[in-house]
Amino acid sequence: MRMSRVARALTIGFAVSAALTVAPPGATAERGQNPNTGRCCDVVVTDQARDQITVLDTRGDWNDPRAVRWSWRPTADQGFADLLDNWGLPDEAKLRTYRHRRYLLTTDSYGLAAMVPYPSGTGSYWAGDVGRSANPHSIEVLPDGNVAVAASTGGWVRVYTASQGPRSTDHTEFAFPGAHAVYWDTGRALLWTVGDHEVVGLTVGGTAAAPTLTPSVRHALPTPWGHDLQPVAGRDRLWVSTGSRVYQLDPRTGVFHDDYRGAESIDVTGIKSVTTNPTTGQTLTTAPEPGTGCTWCTATVRLHLPTDSHTLPDAQIYKARWWVDPR
């Protein structure tokens, strides 16, 4: 995604709150779900038309405002007065559980990276301005409470010492051209990242107050311009999207598979995000489509296995993810 801001529609016909919208009274996790990990059927999108993160129920009609379960953007009242200039093009949203509490992990191309309590949306475990020119694209929380951030234009992956305070700016950095995604692999104790030409597994060493990053595994991409990297639920593989393809990487062998189930509709050009629901096995993707006024956006989230789609009126969606913690 480029740093230039697109022209926005003056009228947005879909009634979604610009501030925090809480789930309906009495809403609970799906039967059989851990309440700390989220509901089976909710999807989170980064909507750049509304400058907000929105969680929607895939069992509802997205033309109906009742499909919106939660939405968020930083405000002064929520404790982000010092970071409001760093919000305007949200490009990442994940649900993570840390020490039995749920958090929204989000980045914005204008420089904000944050870990925000969910569902309150108020305050932050950690938040910072990591640089508008760096174009942060992804974020992850580590077991020691530190936070990893990937920045595509900056060409780096950093680990910020979030464990030391909610505005800690201390960090260690791994130079990595085109860094677009970060994912913590608990089983291997590796921080995976994808850039322009490689997938790299980073070992996080040192201490919580003084971390280090060391590349331990490197896999050359079959096609350039890596974009997303997420776990494949139920398999010891990683989703990896590039500028033109979508693969499943076997981290044990370094083989990028393109013969996986559903590849005929998932493996297409320009996929910005790809995730699998750990409960249902359904995969969702986003890719730019014409008509949004944004060259890297779509208004439609596409589902695979089984096939379905949901369109959010007047939206500029960059990424979408299942609103669950896959780890």
Side-chain angles (χ1 to χ4, degrees), residues 83-103:
L83 295 168
L84 296 183
D85 288 343
N86 303 113
W87 184 263
L89 287 177
D91 56 24
E92 178 66 287
K94 299 176 179 177
L95 180 67
R96 289 292 186 262
T97 303
Y98 176 66
R99 293 187 176 177
H100 308 293
R101 296 190 62 184
R102 290 179 292 173
Y103 294 91

Side-chain angles (χ1 to χ4, degrees), residues 210-241:
T212 60
L213 284 172
T214 305
S216 298
V217 182
R218 290 183 182 268
H219 300 304
L221 289 172
T223 54
W225 320 128
H227 207 283
D228 202 15
L229 185 150
Q230 294 292 307
V232 179
R235 304 197 68 177
D236 187 15
R237 290 186 179 183
L238 299 170
W239 286 115
V240 178
S241 72

Side-chain angles (χ1 to χ4, degrees), residues 1 5 34 74 87 103 108 115 123 147-148 182 191-192 207 219 277 299 304 312 317:
M1 185 178 63
R5 189 181 182 110
N34 181 339
W87 184 263
Y103 294 91
D108 189 289
M115 184 169 163
V147 169
V182 279
L191 179 66
W192 292 103
T207 65
H219 300 304
N277 189 309
H304 314 265
L312 184 62
I317 297 170

Side-chain angles (χ1 to χ4, degrees), residues 158-237:
R158 291 176 177 173
V159 170
Y160 284 86
T161 57
S163 61
Q164 307 303 298
R167 289 292 193 271
S168 177
T169 59
D170 292 342
H171 61 270
T172 188
E173 179 175 314
F174 171 67
F176 192 47
H180 261 78
V182 279
Y183 166 70
W184 176 254
D185 182 341
T186 301
R188 292 181 173 83
L190 285 177
L191 179 66
W192 292 103
T193 182
V194 65
D196 287 343
H197 302 289
E198 287 183 296
V199 170
V200 175
L202 298 168
T203 296
V204 182
T207 65
T212 60
L213 284 172
T214 305
S216 298
V217 182
R218 290 183 182 268
H219 300 304
L221 289 172
T223 54
W225 320 128
H227 207 283
D228 202 15
L229 185 150
Q230 294 292 307
V232 179
R235 304 197 68 177
D236 187 15
R237 290 186 179 183

